[in-house]
Amino acid sequence: MTTTFTPKDPVWCSGCGHYGVRGALVNALSELDIPAHETFLLAGIGCSGSIQNNVNAYGYHSMHGRVLPTAIGAAIANPDLTVIAAGGDGDGYAIGMGHFAHAIHRNASVLYILMNNAAYGLTKGQDSPTSELAQVAGHSPALDGMSMGLSIPGATFLARGFTRWSDQLNGLLIQGLEHVRAKKGFAFLEVLSPCVTYNDTYPDWDAQMYNVDEDPDFSCTDRGIAFQTIERLRSEGRIASGLIHQGEQSAFEANWIKEGLCPANLEAHEPQKNLDTLHDIMTSYST
Amino acid sequence: MTTTFTPKDPVWCSGCGHYGVRGALVNALSELDIPAHETFLLAGIGCSGSIQNNVNAYGYHSMHGRVLPTAIGAAIANPDLTVIAAGGDGDGYAIGMGHFAHAIHRNASVLYILMNNAAYGLTKGQDSPTSELAQVAGHSPALDGMSMGLSIPGATFLARGFTRWSDQLNGLLIQGLEHVRAKKGFAFLEVLSPCVTYNDTYPDWDAQMYNVDEDPDFSCTDRGIAFQTIERLRSEGRIASGLIHQGEQSAFEANWIKEGLCPANLEAHEPQKNLDTLHDIMTSYST
Amino acid sequence: MNIMTNNIKLPKQTRLCEDINVMVAGQGGDGSLTIIALLSHALRQRGLELYQTSNIASRIKGGHAAAILRASKTQHGGIGDNLDVLVAFDEEAIINAGPSMSPDGIVIYDISRGPLPEGCLGPDVLVLPVPFSRFAVRDLRRDLFKNGFGFGLVARVLGIEDSEAEDCMRKRFKKLSKAALEANLHALNLGFGIADEFGIKHGDNLIELADAEKSERLSISGNQATALGFLAAGGRFFAGYPITPATEIMDTLSRHASKIGCVVIQAEDELSAVNQAIGASLTGARAMTASSSPGIALMQESISHCGSAEIPLVIVNCQRAGPSTGMPTKTEQSDIGMMTQGGSGDFPCVVLYPGDANECFTIAALATNISQIAQCPVYIALDRSLAQNTATVAPFDLESVKLDKGKLLDEATLKTLDTYKRYAITDDGISPWALPGTPEGMNLVTGNERNEWGQVSTEPENRIAMMDKRARKINAIRDLLPGGVEHGDPRAEIGLLGTGMETGVMGEAWARLEEQGVKTRCHRPRTLSPVLDDTLDFINQCSRIYIIEHSESGQLERLLKGAGCPAEKLRGIRKYDGLPFSPGELTDLILTREAQG
Amino acid sequence: MNIMTNNIKLPKQTRLCEDINVMVAGQGGDGSLTIIALLSHALRQRGLELYQTSNIASRIKGGHAAAILRASKTQHGGIGDNLDVLVAFDEEAIINAGPSMSPDGIVIYDISRGPLPEGCLGPDVLVLPVPFSRFAVRDLRRDLFKNGFGFGLVARVLGIEDSEAEDCMRKRFKKLSKAALEANLHALNLGFGIADEFGIKHGDNLIELADAEKSERLSISGNQATALGFLAAGGRFFAGYPITPATEIMDTLSRHASKIGCVVIQAEDELSAVNQAIGASLTGARAMTASSSPGIALMQESISHCGSAEIPLVIVNCQRAGPSTGMPTKTEQSDIGMMTQGGSGDFPCVVLYPGDANECFTIAALATNISQIAQCPVYIALDRSLAQNTATVAPFDLESVKLDKGKLLDEATLKTLDTYKRYAITDDGISPWALPGTPEGMNLVTGNERNEWGQVSTEPENRIAMMDKRARKINAIRDLLPGGVEHGDPRAEIGLLGTGMETGVMGEAWARLEEQGVKTRCHRPRTLSPVLDDTLDFINQCSRIYIIEHSESGQLERLLKGAGCPAEKLRGIRKYDGLPFSPGELTDLILTREAQG
Ligand SMILES: Cc1ncc(C[n+]2csc(CCOP(=O)(O)OP(=O)(O)O)c2C)c(N)n1
Ligand SMILES: Cc1ncc(C[n+]2csc(CCOP(=O)(O)OP(=O)(O)O)c2C)c(N)n1
Ligand code: SF4
Ligand code: SF4
Ligand SMILES: [Mg+2]
Ligand SMILES: [Mg+2]
């Protein structure tokens, strides 16, 4: 065995929700027997953005807000990998908002875990787009990633978990991983993961969470019903948790795989092998 | 009278939908008697992004995708202006997507006119996020700005018009202007404005448009109903047009106005007048 | 046909031409490109080398558009001083091109839209007025057929045989319907008729073109050649966002992608594009992105990140005239500062600058290799002229492209190692690299400072070791970097130095200076970061050096000074009106400066 | 209390100290800052000048954290060579700080977590071991009270009277509940008790601090001072995005915003922040944004746009150690290239670099004026040290700040004009400017090249006129730009040149060199773009110049060479481990280089 890096213990504050996310992820990866070296865990920047240091997998630490395009690029270039992107609510819903919407729209097979603590943990507690009150910026109601996800045609997997509801969280992570490993497209899992140091939302969220998985009237295949349920719950001061939506849409990378263009990285692209093709391409410019 | 620039004739191809948008805007501005010098028209980059050259108002040409934050900055700094942002679907839904979502969320009193032609006109016809088929990128269904707008808590005005339906378009523009002039917040008006050169969608859209304003079952105050209607119409291959949503939410700039911090630009901020305050602030660092 | 042929005095003698410049100009929709394309075809048959450029406003329709073709016995890599022939579809064409007309030039003017504007043309310019447009609509019911007329007349002027001209048209329009082709041929014949009326019968051409031996040639732009070089070097992943004048790289790759296997993605913006490429690169795919100046500015954080995290990436910058949106369709070289110093912090970064399409090919292939060998960002700097202008060049040497993945570890090698550290401190600064998916190679890649394992560290000694390691990489690849191209008298005191779009025109100016007895020597650096020793040597050896560049502030000159070149030796010859130098203009500028002492 | 006081030999003599460095270090949660804050208070009473810095990993809790306080008769603007007193709450503190201890230093070590690590401290360092933490938990039921103990003991060591110490604590904790305050005072008294046990009775202090005359002082960081300067100059709009080490600017403005009237917005990212500021600026509001290196990289397109469209904007860059995320809590000066050349294209851009908090104030005010006078982007370059470290400085001269809005046109003036052109070509390159809302001033602002009316134009002559116009602006404001600060022997052959965080340490090194008979003169440029003549003159006058900077590649040196300074005269003294120079370190580096000849 070659010795490589040993995943470190997290640097999070004790009690931080992110521990729960990491635990559930480690658990799901082992439950599904996904080999560590085939797992590629990419993270944004934030307290959440250090999770890749604490999991036994290939890890990458991106720029703030850019983890999704990077993960999509990796997933398309090598579809044999299980690609997991992780980051915070600042990373995903503030600076990364554009990529977030387009990632859902594109539907590449990447599992995206957004650790929502309604705060910027790493930079010491500023409000994020999911905070009810924006500190310096006048108030506006919190953004809701599930509603936004539902509004994007092409969404194939939308779910929300809560670090205190570990059974559900474990289940959602496993479902998300299965979704991407089956190349069904983008799986978005928002995990409510409180920042106990700057914005301890445990008491609130404990009271507000509502499990749609157990609601017989809820449908995770009907976007309209899902949307209305979330809206209604919000107006009652509650938060929907569970599998919010599952849809069908061909995965972004399917195209490239079909055309034999993937995996781009592993292809034996010795130019010599392609000389004839290259020659044809070149002579199309002959005069 | 001081001679200033004379608005030029548009440089658009003949038949371009954007002419219709310009016409409706000029019309609405004059109908509401808004003085030209109090109108600030900011535009993104694209064929759409030259509209400010063709309207009698203060004009600004931003970077590609950045027109919304700029407009918001201007609107907050000087709430006496009627601030209008304009741009294309590439500008607003591709590179500007993050700002788009946050602009709705923030709810500053800016009218945003997005000229959607499901194409990148200026760069010669590439697919945009609202094109049904992404040229080089595998297919995914078109993004829908109305659905996305509805998914963002805090949205106060969402509407869609069509250049061929000029009466409705005129009306929506007037309503949008009234909304922002009454300082009710952000008014988002998407106008379907075909690119006859690269993606002539007139035939399709002529057939697909559906006027929700005339639908008695539709409600522009109930986000759930609006969302479901759009979804249903889309599944029938139709596109909702009209006033999609009107909501209540305090405007972003209200905060600053209330605290007397606006207009930031016009305030007679002679430092001398603030010497005492400044002195107090400074001495809070005394030791 | 009834055209006004009175008052037209044809020259008595046929003018011999080794080097001819033809412009066709009109409104955007006039299809000026068609005549140029037909002409290109005909002139290539003569074995001439072609160079083609255009002058288009960044607007869709309307707006003035001009296409210029230079045909000559050798490839000059730029257009000439004067226009020998102008086909003008409107007044604006005359006004704009008038000053560039050769004194004995020939103007074919479409009088349908109005009379020839006064005072724009020299007394000896021959004007052939024809109401093309009116004829086309009248006789053929479509304005566009005027290109057929035009070509017919030009062909006669240049002594292209009628049958040859017809042949060109058949080849060019082979995809048209039979009826459309016939209509065009008909227009062509009407063009011949017009020539007859002017007295330019078959064989009575006004200009006699030189013949040359026809060698095998590609007709290709820098953008296209860059795309091909990337593919040839195993480039397998491209993500970009449309922007003038870089879009053709994405277009070219898209066109060929499925044949050879290359993922091409139009991203939602440049930030996504560059990061998708980073993601692909992390898996070992050879990845590239391309944009133009403002788009590259937007990528600066990500490029600096590649430098920090040691991620291979090729970035093509098709420079436009800046700053900001500037003039998207105009040329400049004013991002040299940004490419060499634009990111935050200190990191190794290579900037290569080709000088013609052939070098675009080889440098794109090389950049693709270097990016993986040195695990760092590599820019390919183009300017609009180089990016978009088309020239005939010798076919590329495909066989010469070898793939070098640098220190990429495979599973077998990894298994023989005791320990594997992603950021191992090595002598050459390059750490062996294992890809996700490879057993036993697990690692952490990060843009934070980190220890050899990839774990975040701010420990001062580690920091110094890591900075030094990264800095060493540039020396490790120094020998691979393309040196400067020199010509001229090695003993000359006067040096000329320029890169990219200055390549051709610098050569022409050199020759003219030589003719006038001013001995100079030329150096064209192809690597701007790092500045290579041969460039410094060249500057040391000359007593004064003209730095020829398209930047108002003299970014190339500043780069050289920053690398240690003595300021007092350098003399800036700068242009920033969006247009290339013409050979005469450049020669004169140098002569004037020389005269000033 | 039963501590191990045997084996402790107190020095016989009280050491006199004019300049003392104290560090308190432990885990992030240990609250090392509290002791330093209390100490600051006490030492200010003595009239000493204070300088305070910290050394914190970019992690929330846990992670090692150290706070360092220097107190001296004059302000040195940096910390000293050695620590005189160290309060260490854990082993790591001893390991990290050991090498910096003064040979006769004093270490107070919390043995609750383990014994003193071996071999880290010199033989003459006095160690006072106390199980603070255990005592605090045992006697006061809370670990945090150990700071009370610690302060008590340190106060005795430094001869701060018990009552004075108590006074400090009352003031510092005045917002605490009475019970909490009492508990802290109890802890303090226990600390005195510990001192007694060690034999350090009241009045038996080990170190005797100098007394100085107490002048009025602010205790303020560069970030805070910059925010205040902006407000003083009528700054009324700030948009930013949190990032270390720039966040305090937004925090400071938020805290004071409503008192004076300033909009402060936390945007969704840096692109939004800079463009919101642009929007506000377009309406005439004096606008600023701030970020740190990677965030500034992200803004490059927008900054280049301000240069093109001629929009006033102040951008603060609190440089961290790069590249990319790098080391967010560590200091560097490696964005000089990016700030001076980072955008696309050529445009006028001013880069100012203050050297202490007072200059942060004046330069922020000046930058705010200059941005509107020249209608261009103006950077305020800070480095983490300058941005975040706190120093005592003389109060700011608020009265001296005058507001200059440049060529802003009001309605009345506009009405007197025949024509108004936004981009009028003027002698000084600055065009009069009318704001949206002003009757008769309607105009178009754009980042495209444009004619005087603001209408897009690519016409070559217009282009040249516009580029020249914009370039001229820099000369128009040249006289307003802050020149270099010089001291030392004007005849010295050796020059020292550095800026920002090098200010203090360069001065100390100069004095030490002087003591050793090495005559030098110092120059500290405060304007980096453009490079001013006084800087060039200084370099001309010296025969060799040490360029002292925090950049591995020597970005300041490259800037100077790019501005024409002779390479052979410049000698780089560079540091890039994330830490400031200490005076001794810098002195030695220069002496070594001098010895090498
Ligand atoms: C371009 C850029 N801007 C800002 C930052 C500073 N920054 C680091 S983490 C962060 C936000 C962290 O919040 P979130 O993503 O919610 O993660 P959390 O710490 O809450 O887990 C910010 C603003 C940065 N690293 N890069
Ligand atoms: C940063 C940047 N990237 C790319 C471009 C090139 N560009 C100009 S307009 C445009 C898209 C135009 O499409 P849209 O916004 O839909 O406007 P339309 O022309 O269709 O009205 C693009 C990609 C640019 N100007 N700046
Ligand atoms: S600051 Fe908040 S998010 Fe960060 S580690 Fe601590 S508890 Fe978790
Ligand atoms: S290209 Fe399309 S969008 Fe642009 S002007 Fe022409 S029709 Fe309109
Ligand atoms: Mg967060
Ligand atoms: Mg469009």
Side-chain angles (χ1 to χ4, degrees), chain A residues 141-188:
Chain A
L143 281 182
D144 185 322
M146 293 299 112
S147 302
M148 294 201 69
L150 284 167
S151 76
I152 298 174
T156 55
F157 185 103
L158 304 169
R160 176 148 54 205
F162 177 36
T163 45
R164 278 253 169 94
W165 290 9
S166 53
D167 284 352
Q168 188 188 51
L169 181 58
N170 284 338
L172 292 172
L173 261 168
I174 288 173
Q175 284 178 75
L177 280 169
E178 282 172 341
H179 187 84
V180 301
R181 285 170 61 83
K183 300 294 156 199
K184 293 184 176 172
F186 191 71
F188 175 45

Side-chain angles (χ1 to χ4, degrees), chain A residues 93-94 97-98 101-102 105-106 129 136-144 147-148 150-154 222-225 227-228 231 234 249-250 252 255-256, chain B residues 93-94 97-98 101-102 105-106 129 136-144 147-148 150-154 222-225 227-228 231 234 249-250 252 255-256:
Chain A
Y93 292 145
M97 173 58 94
H102 283 279
H105 187 221
R106 255 179 225 293
V136 280
H139 61 281
S140 46
L143 281 182
D144 185 322
S147 302
M148 294 201 69
L150 284 167
S151 76
I152 298 174
D222 183 312
R223 299 146 63 103
I225 291 180
F227 189 89
Q228 281 200 311
E231 289 295 312
R234 186 186 310 125
Q249 177 65 39
S250 91
F252 186 50
N255 235 30
W256 316 110
Chain B
Y93 293 145
M97 174 58 94
H102 284 278
H105 187 221
R106 254 180 228 294
V136 281
H139 60 280
S140 45
L143 281 183
D144 186 322
S147 301
M148 293 199 70
L150 285 167
S151 76
I152 299 174
D222 183 312
R223 300 147 63 103
I225 290 179
F227 189 89
Q228 281 199 313
E231 290 294 314
R234 187 189 306 127
Q249 176 66 39
S250 90
F252 186 50
N255 234 31
W256 316 110

Side-chain angles (χ1 to χ4, degrees), chain D residues 5-250:
Chain D
T5 52
N6 33 348
N7 294 329
I8 310 280
K9 271 203 206 94
L10 297 183
K12 303 226 168 66
Q13 280 203 311
T14 306
R15 182 149 74 90
L16 271 172
C17 244
E18 295 220 325
D19 179 6
I20 186 173
N21 289 275
V22 181
M23 177 189 273
V24 184
Q27 289 303 304
D30 283 340
S32 313
L33 277 173
T34 309
I35 296 185
I36 290 289
L38 291 164
L39 212 49
S40 298
H41 204 95
L43 298 180
R44 264 307 288 155
Q45 301 313 314
R46 300 286 179 101
L48 295 176
E49 300 286 351
L50 307 180
Y51 185 89
Q52 193 182 322
T53 181
S54 60
N55 206 329
I56 310 177
S58 176
R59 304 159 48 168
I60 296 307
K61 280 205 180 147
H64 200 75
I68 306 170
L69 177 72
R70 183 181 191 177
S72 46
K73 286 185 83 166
T74 56
Q75 178 56 269
H76 293 298
I79 54 163
D81 291 316
N82 293 316
L83 298 170
D84 301 291
V85 176
L86 167 69
V87 181
F89 284 115
D90 63 7
E91 214 181 67
E92 208 177 332
I94 300 284
I95 296 169
N96 289 345
S100 309
M101 282 309 296
S102 150
D104 55 356
I106 299 165
V107 171
I108 298 172
Y109 180 61
D110 186 345
I111 47 171
S112 312
R113 290 180 190 152
L116 187 79
E118 302 269 314
C120 300
L121 299 171
D124 298 331
V125 172
L126 174 70
V127 180
L128 306 175
V130 199
F132 284 123
S133 193
R134 240 184 301 129
F135 283 178
V137 176
R138 192 189 63 190
D139 297 339
L140 291 160
R141 303 262 162 265
R142 258 190 81 188
D143 186 60
L144 264 181
F145 291 120
K146 67 189 174 191
N147 289 310
F149 289 121
F151 181 51
L153 182 48
V154 171
R156 280 284 178 87
V157 166
L158 297 178
I160 296 164
E161 304 220 349
D162 289 2
S163 61
E164 223 179 315
E166 205 181 299
D167 212 47
C168 291
M169 197 169 247
R170 284 187 193 281
K171 286 203 177 112
R172 170 82 192 170
F173 290 152
K174 63 172 176 274
K175 283 188 186 144
L176 289 189
S177 70
K178 218 181 143 198
L181 174 64
E182 288 306 323
N184 273 295
L185 288 172
H186 184 49
L188 179 69
N189 275 300
L190 292 175
F192 296 150
I194 295 168
D196 287 338
E197 288 194 44
F198 278 121
I200 314 170
K201 310 276 174 194
H202 197 218
D204 282 357
N205 45 311
L206 306 181
I207 290 176
E208 179 70 39
L209 291 171
D211 260 316
E213 204 171 336
K214 195 182 169 196
S215 11
E216 216 189 321
R217 285 291 179 264
L218 309 174
S219 170
I220 197 164
S221 72
N223 277 338
Q224 292 165 333
T226 302
L228 263 53
F230 174 66
L231 289 178
R236 285 300 174 273
F237 192 100
F238 178 91
Y241 187 71
I243 189 165
T244 306
T247 311
E248 290 91 14
I249 294 177
M250 183 156 69

Side-chain angles (χ1 to χ4, degrees), chain A residues 12-13 16 18 47 117 121 195-198, chain D residues 60:
Chain A
W12 300 313
C13 311
C16 176
H18 298 351
C47 293
N117 52 17
C195 169
V196 294
T197 300
Y198 294 112
Chain D
I60 296 307

Side-chain angles (χ1 to χ4, degrees), chain C residues 57 271 293-295 297-298 300-301 304-305 307-308 321-330 332 334-335 337-338 340-347 447-449 457-460 463-464 467-468 470-471 551-555 558 561-564 567 576-579, chain D residues 57 271 293-295 297-298 300-301 304-305 307-308 321-330 332 334-335 337-338 340-347 447-449 457-460 463-464 467-468 470-471 551-555 558 561-564 567 576-579:
Chain C
L271 296 171
S293 314
L298 202 44
Q300 286 306 314
E301 186 198 5
S304 162
H305 176 82
S308 170
S324 189
T325 310
M327 307 194 296
T329 59
K330 301 290 165 178
E332 209 163 86
S334 55
D335 298 344
M338 174 171 76
T340 56
Q341 302 211 53
S344 65
D346 288 312
F347 58 93
N448 283 63
E449 196 54 273
S457 163
T458 57
E459 200 276 308
R463 160 71 174 181
I464 295 173
M467 286 292 280
D468 291 346
R470 289 192 293 266
S551 156
E552 181 268 337
S553 74
Q555 299 196 10
R558 194 151 66 244
K561 288 193 286 191
Y576 46 94
D577 61 359
L579 303 173
Chain D
L271 296 170
S293 314
L298 201 45
Q300 285 306 313
E301 185 198 7
S304 162
H305 176 83
S308 171
S324 188
T325 310
M327 307 195 295
T329 59
K330 300 290 166 177
E332 209 162 86
S334 55
D335 298 343
M338 174 172 75
T340 56
Q341 303 211 53
S344 65
D346 288 313
F347 58 93
N448 283 63
E449 196 54 273
S457 163
T458 58
E459 200 276 308
R463 160 69 175 183
I464 295 172
M467 284 293 281
D468 290 347
R470 289 192 292 266
S551 155
E552 180 268 336
S553 75
Q555 299 196 11
R558 194 151 66 245
K561 288 192 288 190
Y576 45 94
D577 61 358
L579 303 174

Side-chain angles (χ1 to χ4, degrees), chain A residues 4-283:
Chain A
T4 62
F5 81 98
T6 319
K8 281 204 174 173
D9 284 341
V11 292
W12 300 313
C13 311
S14 71
C16 176
H18 298 351
Y19 284 100
V21 180
R22 177 200 174 233
L25 178 59
V26 167
N27 176 69
L29 288 168
S30 95
E31 195 127 319
L32 294 177
D33 255 343
I34 307 177
H37 71 271
E38 288 178 7
T39 308
F40 190 20
L41 177 54
L42 302 93
I45 294 204
C47 293
S48 41
S50 62
I51 192 171
Q52 79 285 6
N53 297 325
N54 319 127
V55 173
N56 197 22
Y58 274 89
Y60 168 66
H61 194 192
S62 90
M63 284 144 282
H64 189 39
R66 309 297 161 213
V67 69
L68 282 177
T70 323
I72 291 170
I76 292 166
N78 186 358
D80 295 337
L81 299 173
T82 297
V83 177
I84 306 166
D89 46 330
D91 203 71
Y93 292 145
I95 191 168
M97 173 58 94
H99 304 314
F100 167 70
H102 283 279
I104 295 181
H105 187 221
R106 255 179 225 293
N107 201 38
S109 296
V110 166
L111 169 63
Y112 179 37
I113 306 171
L114 188 146
M115 295 142 88
N116 182 359
N117 52 17
Y120 288 4
L122 191 65
T123 49
K124 300 188 188 287
Q126 295 86 359
D127 281 352
S128 87
T130 51
S131 308
E132 280 306 317
L133 295 172
Q135 195 182 29
V136 280
H139 61 281
S140 46
L143 281 182
D144 185 322
M146 293 299 112
S147 302
M148 294 201 69
L150 284 167
S151 76
I152 298 174
T156 55
F157 185 103
L158 304 169
R160 176 148 54 205
F162 177 36
T163 45
R164 278 253 169 94
W165 290 9
S166 53
D167 284 352
Q168 188 188 51
L169 181 58
N170 284 338
L172 292 172
L173 261 168
I174 288 173
Q175 284 178 75
L177 280 169
E178 282 172 341
H179 187 84
V180 301
R181 285 170 61 83
K183 300 294 156 199
K184 293 184 176 172
F186 191 71
F188 175 45
L189 173 62
E190 180 192 275
V191 185
L192 294 182
S193 173
C195 169
V196 294
T197 300
Y198 294 112
N199 186 27
D200 189 352
T201 46
Y202 268 125
D204 285 351
W205 289 350
D206 274 335
Q208 289 175 300
M209 297 308 287
Y210 176 89
N211 188 347
V212 296
D213 290 344
E214 288 172 358
D215 181 342
D217 293 335
F218 185 80
S219 160
C220 68
T221 52
D222 183 312
R223 299 146 63 103
I225 291 180
F227 189 89
Q228 281 200 311
T229 308
I230 291 174
E231 289 295 312
R232 181 178 45 74
L233 286 171
R234 186 186 310 125
S235 70
E236 296 165 2
R238 309 212 59 182
I239 303 168
S241 172
L243 182 57
I244 303 292
H245 181 66
Q246 229 169 352
E248 297 257 341
Q249 177 65 39
S250 91
F252 186 50
E253 73 278 7
N255 235 30
W256 316 110
I257 296 177
K258 201 177 61 203
E259 296 191 27
L261 305 184
C262 277
N265 68 315
L266 298 175
E267 217 201 332
H269 41 61
E270 299 306 319
Q272 279 64 22
K273 295 200 184 152
N274 291 305
L275 263 185
D276 289 347
T277 317
L278 280 168
H279 200 265
D280 290 350
I281 292 174
M282 183 178 79
T283 47

